[in-house]
Amino acid sequence: SRGRPRLIVLWGAGTGHGLGFCRHGADGLAAGGNDFRRILAHYFPKAELVAHPWPPAARKLPQKVPNRPAESR
């Protein structure tokens, strides 16, 4: 639909990324015989899983890299 994103990539690291996914709960669901599709559907009922090519297509990097502030040493 217009104005809606076509792709959302979720990236988390560490503990507690605030997306509503409980890794311990997911582990329990997996131990109960649920596969990743069922586990993701449990936590993200409105999400749609689609195939995505891997590795992603190469992207051309910009010719000029913006200036970055000097890092402290």
Side-chain angles (χ1 to χ4, degrees), residues 3-73:
R4 290 187 164 187
R6 292 185 58 200
L7 173 68
I8 298 174
V9 177
L10 305 177
W11 184 267
T15 58
H17 44 71
L19 295 174
F21 184 85
C22 174
R23 65 182 185 189
H24 299 293
D27 188 46
L29 289 169
N34 294 284
D35 70 354
F36 73 95
R37 290 173 190 86
R38 176 66 190 101
I39 294 168
L40 290 174
H42 174 79
Y43 288 102
F44 307 103
K46 295 181 181 181
E48 176 187 5
L49 292 176
V50 295
H52 184 19
W54 191 260
R59 291 182 285 169
K60 188 174 181 180
L61 296 175
Q63 294 296 321
K64 185 176 181 180
V65 177
N67 292 332
R68 289 185 170 179
E71 294 182 23
S72 58
R73 296 176 195 250

